[in-house]
Amino acid sequence: MSDHDIEKRSDDGRKEGVLSREGSEKEEINLTTFHEKRAGRLVVSPQEARIEFGEAVASKLKLSKDGTKVLWPQPTDSPYDPQNWSNRRKHLHLFIITLAAIVPDFDSGIGIASIFPLATQFNTTTGVINNMTSNWSIFLLGWGGIFAVILIRRYGRLPILFWSQIFALGFLIGCTFAPNLKTFTAMRCLTAVFATAPQVTGLYVVTDLFPFHLQARKLNIWTMGFIISPFLSPFAFGFLVARTTWRWAYGIGCIYGAIVCVLIILFMQETMYDRTISPIPEPAAQGGFRYRFESLVGISGYKMAKYRVSWQDAILSPFKVVWRPHLLIILIFEAMVFGFSIGINTTNAVFLGSPPPLGYGFSQFAIAGGYGTPIVAVLIGELIGRFNNDFIMNVSIRRNNGVFEAESRLWACYLAMPLYICGFVLLGASFQDHLSVGALVMGWGISELAVMINTVAVYAYCNDCFPKHQGEISALINLARTLGGFSVAYFQVPWALKHGALQVFGVEAAIVIGLFFLSVPFIQIKGRRLREKYSL
């Protein structure tokens, strides 16, 4: 995108700002909801705010502590507004919601660590275990988020988070003591449906607590949780299962789920603040143990439902959002980026454990150690993303005369895609030609690094474009990545046996790069028009 295009778009935005300022002379701008009406375009510089809004409005704007950025959303003067909470309190909530976001894929990944013992226990093959349990639990992770967001729109974040984790824990206990494969499959699928709520609630919580200019950095932490989670359980429990029964792996998974539930009960508070209603209802003002209990179990949410969207709007909202062109295009792209990485996670245990010519013939201990690779890669991705996203945001704001345009988030994809190609091709070559373990580690690590960088950029872009629909955005991205990944395990191993792993991973990388060239530059060029026409 040329400097001339950026200057032209910035001038257009200034004209809009002048018009909005003229209109505000007749009708005062509502600063609490203004950021939602200008989806994807935010005036961040206080100097630019004076030009676009006029001195009268700009003087009312609340700024960051250093005075360099306008806060969006604009905090109220109430101490019960989550935007006004202390940093310690905010980061405690971020920490807990990140731990909770680990639960769904962590529970699903226990089956990867236990795949060979499960096949022995239930007298079947690893392929049947993958197809009946791993793939279907991944598939249901996506749909569970859609149901969760419908309830969250009505009853708030906290009760849905709490009850979902309680039910998920109960069904995981069912997995632990399942007497046969049918019961185990049912319990594992139900665990996936209920456990996925934190992967929807997290985006809500981040935007409830933090202003716009900090959201990408905090999203990076939350996203790291659920990207790293499917590798944690194969890494930790692979060593355990090699020495004892697979039921111990699921038992420890239950202990982790119970710890998350206890943290939610003791420390989490409702972050949903109905700032669009006048006057703003504040049930938190009553305080005390009774309020804590009622907000946790959903009594307060039930009472507040009369102020919120109707059941019809809550149910139809995901369908109203999903067809928007700039969202649908990026969802298809992210579905393949993340989906193929899910395939790597579910099938690498087979590649590593199978004897040559398909795999490396690793022992259970070696396979478990191998899953340390993507864990390190995701942590590196978090560090890179933390500084990369802030750098892109600040450069974009400077080049656009103090205005942030959502499409600038996608510049991070240009960093991710070369890494994606290198990682997948090297991983495929390692499996096919039995290259050194160092090559295998580098290929796998680079692939997951690329996925981490790309996924954070997609979440941030979609969140900026639809500031009133964070839950729907999170649920749809979650659904897209699971739909893109659950089926990969069905074809990846047979395809590699027939034509070689290099062809498999090479074609997958080619599909992703093709979608990248078709989608990301198009959205960066046409995104603003699409937002103005189709955003809600």
Side-chain angles (χ1 to χ4, degrees), residues 258-440:
I259 292 172
V260 170
C261 289
V262 170
L263 290 173
I264 292 170
I265 292 168
L266 294 179
F267 301 110
M268 283 291 285
Q269 298 180 41
E270 179 58 72
T271 63
M272 189 172 185
Y273 190 71
D274 300 281
R275 64 183 68 248
T276 58
I277 301 170
S278 183
I280 299 173
E282 294 183 330
Q286 70 184 63
F289 174 78
R290 180 177 176 180
Y291 167 71
R292 287 282 298 126
F293 175 77
E294 290 185 350
S295 64
L296 182 70
V297 300
I299 296 173
S300 294
Y302 179 77
K303 292 176 181 177
M304 290 292 293
K306 62 184 177 182
Y307 299 109
R308 294 166 181 162
V309 297
S310 65
W311 274 113
Q312 181 179 356
D313 288 339
I315 293 170
L316 294 179
S317 185
F319 302 100
K320 290 180 180 178
V321 172
V322 69
W323 66 267
R324 311 289 161 169
H326 51 308
L327 176 62
L328 185 59
I329 291 170
I330 209 71
L331 284 179
I332 295 171
F333 169 56
E334 176 64 14
M336 295 298 101
V337 172
F338 207 107
F340 290 135
S341 77
I342 292 176
I344 289 177
N345 189 42
T346 55
T347 59
N348 268 18
V350 178
F351 280 123
L352 294 174
S354 299
L358 176 63
Y360 277 77
F362 280 0
S363 67
Q364 191 73 40
F365 288 106
I367 294 172
Y371 274 88
T373 298
I375 294 173
V376 174
V378 173
L379 292 173
I380 294 172
E382 198 282 329
L383 291 173
I384 293 174
R386 174 176 300 189
F387 299 104
N388 185 50
N389 288 314
D390 283 353
F391 173 78
I392 290 171
M393 178 186 71
N394 291 326
V395 169
S396 171
I397 292 169
R398 285 199 302 270
R399 293 183 69 186
N400 286 281
N401 297 312
V403 176
F404 177 81
E405 298 273 358
E407 289 72 32
S408 67
R409 297 285 194 197
L410 299 178
W411 285 113
C413 300
Y414 290 83
L415 172 62
M417 287 302 100
L419 295 172
Y420 198 91
I421 297 172
C422 295
F424 266 67
V425 171
L426 181 56
L427 187 61
S430 299
F431 284 131
Q432 180 168 313
D433 299 329
H434 294 90
L435 303 180
S436 69
V437 175
L440 173 68

Side-chain angles (χ1 to χ4, degrees), residues 211-228:
F212 153 78
H213 66 280
L214 296 178
Q215 287 174 7
R217 183 182 297 184
K218 308 308 177 184
L219 282 176
N220 210 52
I221 297 171
W222 169 68
T223 306
M224 176 191 69
F226 67 77
I227 292 180
I228 205 172

Side-chain angles (χ1 to χ4, degrees), residues 42-164:
L42 293 177
V43 178
V44 180
S45 166
Q47 292 76 21
E48 182 66 16
R50 294 189 186 94
I51 297 171
E52 294 210 13
F53 302 141
E55 190 64 40
V57 174
S59 63
K60 299 177 183 178
L61 292 172
K62 296 178 180 177
L63 308 179
S64 58
K65 288 183 178 180
D66 59 6
T68 61
K69 294 181 175 66
V70 178
L71 297 178
W72 299 110
Q74 282 284 287
T76 65
D77 295 323
S78 171
Y80 305 109
D81 183 349
Q83 292 280 333
N84 293 326
W85 290 358
S86 68
N87 282 334
R88 181 180 179 182
R89 190 176 175 187
K90 288 181 179 181
H91 286 100
L92 177 61
H93 280 67
L94 178 61
F95 174 69
I96 295 173
I97 199 64
T98 302
L99 291 181
I102 289 173
V103 169
D105 290 297
F106 180 82
D107 290 349
S108 181
I110 298 173
I112 297 171
S114 308
I115 186 169
F116 289 102
L118 281 169
T120 304
Q121 172 83 36
F122 297 124
N123 195 28
T124 185
T125 65
T126 56
V128 171
I129 295 295
N130 251 347
N131 294 342
M132 286 188 66
T133 63
S134 294
N135 298 342
W136 282 106
S137 67
I138 292 169
F139 175 78
L140 291 169
L141 280 173
W143 295 104
I146 299 292
F147 292 115
V149 75
I150 292 170
L151 297 173
I152 289 170
R153 290 289 300 274
R154 290 283 293 172
Y155 301 124
R157 325 317 188 199
L158 182 58
I160 308 308
L161 177 64
F162 168 69
W163 285 114
S164 67

